[in-house]
Amino acid sequence: MEIQSNGEEGSSIGFRGWIACRRRFKPDDSFFAAGNIERELLAKQVALDLTEDERYQLQKMEIAEAQLVFCPIAGCAARLNFLEDFEDHYHTRHTASCSVCSRVFPTSRLLNIHVSEAHDSFFQAKVSRGFPMYECLVDGCGVKLKSYKSRQQHLVDKHKFPTSFEFYKKARPSKHQRHRYQRRHASHSKEASKDTDMEIDTTKSKRASQKYRPRKLTNTKQRETEMEVEESVNDLIAAVSKLSTSDSSPSSISFGHRHARGFAFVPRSIRQANRKQVSQPEAKE
Amino acid sequence: MMTSPNHLPSTVEKRSRPQLELSTLITKSGINWLSVVFVRISCEQLHLAVHNTSAQRRRQLAVAVGKEKREALIRAKRLCREAFFEDNEVSLERDMDTDEEKTVLDAQTSQTVDDLKSALTYHFLLAFINLIGLVCFNQNISGKGATQKKVETLRELRRLLSKSEVPPVKAALQAGVIPLLVQCLAFGSPDEQLLEAAWCLTNIAAGDPEETKSLMPALPLLVAHIGEKSLVAIAEQCAWALGNVAGEGEELRNILLAQGALLPLARLMMSNKGSTARTAAWALSNLLKGPHPKAASELIKIKGVIDAIVQHLRKEDDELVTEVAWVVVYLSALSEVAVGLLLKNDVAQLLVGKLAASESLQLLIPVLRSLGNLVAADGYMTDKVLIVGYNITEQLLSGLIKCLKNEHRVLKKEAAWVLSNIAAGSIKHKELIYSSEAMPLLIHLLLNATFDIRKEVAYTLGNLCVAPSKDLEQPSIIVHHLVSLIEHGCLPGFVHLVRSVDIQSARLGLQFLELVMRGMPNGEGLKLVEEDGIDAMERFQFHENEEIRNMANGLIDKYFGEDYGLDE
C-alpha cells in the first residue's frame, strides 16, 4: 500500500508530479519475496548442499513466476517476463515504422492506416469525392468516416479516447530543423552545407558537436516564404537522394532509432529531408 | 492492469530434525529382528539402483533430485538435525553414516525406487507402530522396564522420521502414528517420552501441508507442554513443532492463536537459554505473520516481551539476534502500537548497531527490514529519532551504504528502499544523503543494476530533488540536486524506467522527466529530454493505461508542442 497524496493543484497540464513520500509494504507484499526466499535458502544451505547455480536458478524461478506480465500496448497482451523481455518484445512487435516519415506505430494495421492517410494521394482523391475513408482505429470496429475530424469524434464518443488524442500527430521539427531555420535567417548557405556534413555523425555525440545558437526574431511572413523555398529545395534533395540510395526497405524496419539493435543506419540529412517534406502539409492542416 | 497480484507461493518455514544413522539400528541390541528387516530393505534398494544405471535413468534421477530439492526448499521446513540436549550417541552416528546415507539416498530418489521404498517403509512402520502400541499399552507389561521399552521404541521412530530431507512421513501417517503420539504426550508421562514424541511430531509437521495439518489432534497438548513447569528441553521441542505448524498457513495460525499459543511462546522467548529463546522467537515469527495483525497487537501487549526483545538484541549470538529481528520485522510491519513501543525502547539504536557491525547475511536481512519498516511506518522515526547530526543517523547511513555495496541483491534493494523513505524526509535529510558516499553508488546502481533495484534507487534519487510538500501544493524542485544528478548521467536511467513494463516505474520515469523539463535552468531540460525521452514517451500513445497515456501525451504537448523550436 502506498501512502501518496495527489498534488495536482498548480500543475497546468493536470500532471501528477513527483511527490516525495514514504512507502510502506505489508509483510506479505511481493516486494519482500526475494528476502524471504533468501532466509529459507540460507537456513538450508548447509543441510542440502546447494550449488551456487542451483540457488540462483531457484531464486530466478521464484521471482519470475510471480511477475509474469502482459504487454501494455493496446491490443497486444503478449505474456512477458517482468524483468527483462519487454524491450525485445517491443522492438520486434511494436516498431512498425513508416518508410516515408519515420513515424513509429505499435501495429502494422495502424501503420497501414497512417500510410494511406498521410502519404497516399489516391486516398486523398477518394476523400475529396466523398467516400468514407477514415477507418476507426480500434481493431474490429469497422466503422469508416468521411473526415479526420469525424473519425476523431467517433473515437472519443464510442471508444472513450481522450480528447487530446491525435492520430495525425504533428511531427515536431527536430533539433536539426530548428537550427536550420535559425541559420537561414542568420547567415548564408555556406553554413547550411557545413551543418549537413556535421549531421552525419551519430546520435549521442551530436549534442557535443553542435553549438547553441541564439534564436532570432523574424516576421512570420518572411519565414513562410523562406520555408516554401526551402521546401522545394528539400524536395529536390529528397528526390535525388531517393534515386541514389538502394532503398526499398520494408516498412517494418525502423530507421535510425538509437536504441534499436542491428538496424541500418541512414544518414540523418536524408532522413530529415524526407521528414520535413511531409511535415509541412501536416502543419498546415 | 499489468502488475501481478500477491499470489506468491507462501514461503512457509518449517524445520524438522533429521538424523543420519542406519547402521545404529543394526547394532542396537534391543530390537534385532526389526533391524534385520531394515538392513534387508536397504540392500534390496541398492540392488535395484545399481541395475538401473542407464543414461536415461541418470537423467531422470538428476531431474528428480533437482525437483525434490527445489520442492523441499520452497516448503522451507526446518529439519531438526541436532539434539540440543547433549546426546553422545547422536554425534557419533552423524559422522559414521553420512557417506553411506548419501549413496543410498541418491539411489533412492529415482521414481521406481521411491515407490518401492515407500511401500516397504509403510509395512515396516506399520509393524513398528503396532509394536509400540503393544509395548506401550499392553496391560501386562508394566513397571520400569516397560517404560524404558516404550521410550526406546519411540526413539527409533524418531530416528526414522529424522532421516535426511525426505523422511517417510506419509507412510508413518498412514500407519496411524498420530493418535499414538498424542497418547504419548499425556500429562504425567516421563520426560524422555514427551521429548521423543514431540520430536516425532516436529518432523511430521515439517512435511507437506496435509502432513502438517495432521497434527491437529496434538496441538492443545503441545501448547500445554510449553508451560513454565515443563522441562526446558521439552518446552523447546514443543515450540519447534508449533513453529512448523504455524509456518504452514493462516488457517493453522488462527487455530493456534485461538488455542492460546501466543502467551506460552512469548514467555519461552524470555528464557535466558540461547537455543530456547531462539526457537521460541522463530516459532513466534511464524505465528505473527498474519497477514492479520491481531497476533502482533496481542504480542506487544504481553508484559516482558519488549524487554526480552531488547535484551536479546544486545547479545552477540547471531542466530538468536536473527530470529528476534524477524519478530521485530513482523511487529513493526503489522502493529502501530508496536512501532511506538519499539522506538521508545531504543530498539532502533540496537538495530542500527547490528546493521553496522554484522557481516552475516542471515542477520542483516531482518535487521535491515525492521529498520525499513520502522522508517516507513511513521514520521516519528525520521523526525525524532534520525535527527541529522546525531550519531545514530550517521551510523544508519553508513550501514545502508554498506548494504548498497554488498553483493546480495536483497540487501541492495531493501537498503535503497530505506534510503528512499529517508530521502522523503526533511531538506536536511536530503542534503545528508546527497553529500554522502551513497551518491556514486546509487547512480551506478541506477544505470547498471537489475530492475527491482533500479526502481528503488529511482525513488531515492527523485525524492532528493523535490522539497517536502505542504499539503496539496506542488513541491518545489531542489535545483542544485537535480542539476548534479543530470550531470552525473542519471537521465538515461530514468528514461529506461519509462520504457519499463511496470506501470509504476513508467509513471516514475515520466514524473522525473517532468521535473527535468520544469526544473533545469535555461530550458536545458527540453534539450536533454529530447534526445531519448521523446521516443520513450511516444511509446505511450497506444498504451492501455489511460493515466499513463495522458501523462505522456500531456508532457509531449506541453513541452514539445506545435510551437516547439519555431518561435521565441
Side-chain angles (χ1 to χ4, degrees), chain B residues 407-548:
Chain B
E407 52 168 354
H408 281 97
R409 173 166 150 192
V410 177
L411 290 182
K412 286 196 271 228
K413 174 173 109 164
E414 296 194 19
W417 166 58
V418 181
L419 273 172
S420 75
N421 282 341
I422 298 177
S426 72
I427 299 252
K428 279 209 167 133
H429 285 106
K430 296 174 207 266
E431 282 170 1
L432 178 71
I433 298 177
Y434 173 75
S435 53
S436 77
E437 207 193 316
M439 289 309 286
L441 289 169
L442 289 170
I443 295 176
H444 175 84
L445 287 171
L446 180 73
L447 301 173
N448 296 295
T450 51
F451 169 78
D452 48 354
I453 298 174
R454 281 190 281 121
K455 186 174 170 182
E456 300 309 312
V457 171
Y459 272 108
T460 311
L461 293 176
N463 284 351
L464 290 178
C465 295
V466 297
S469 58
K470 301 173 187 87
D471 296 334
L472 298 173
E473 271 174 33
Q474 195 183 49
S476 53
I477 300 179
I478 304 177
V479 179
H480 70 285
H481 286 180
L482 183 63
V483 169
S484 177
L485 283 182
I486 299 296
E487 268 168 17
H488 283 91
C490 283
L491 190 56
F494 282 93
V495 173
H496 193 183
L497 276 180
V498 175
R499 294 187 200 285
S500 141
V501 168
D502 174 38
I503 298 279
Q504 266 181 3
S505 308
R507 191 191 301 127
L508 207 63
L510 286 174
Q511 285 173 326
F512 190 81
L513 291 185
E514 195 264 341
L515 287 180
V516 170
M517 293 192 283
R518 179 163 44 105
M520 290 293 280
N522 304 322
E524 244 186 87
L526 294 187
K527 290 203 205 92
L528 294 166
V529 172
E530 187 186 26
E531 279 294 309
D532 261 330
I534 292 189
D535 269 347
M537 288 193 280
E538 277 189 336
R539 186 189 281 211
F540 289 110
Q541 218 190 346
F542 296 99
H543 201 282
E544 264 182 7
N545 181 295
E546 170 150 7
E547 187 209 351
I548 293 279

Side-chain angles (χ1 to χ4, degrees), chain A residues 1 26 39 47 63 77 80 83 86 97 99 114 141 148 166 178 187 189 212 216 221 240 243 250 263 265:
Chain A
M1 88 198 166
K26 287 211 172 99
R39 175 187 195 185
I63 295 181
L80 301 168
L83 298 176
F86 185 48
S97 142
S99 56
H114 159 79
C141 177
Y148 178 78
E166 284 282 340
R178 276 187 295 134
S187 55
S189 48
Y212 173 76
K216 295 218 170 136
K221 202 148 186 228
V240 167
L243 287 172
F263 291 138
F265 168 68

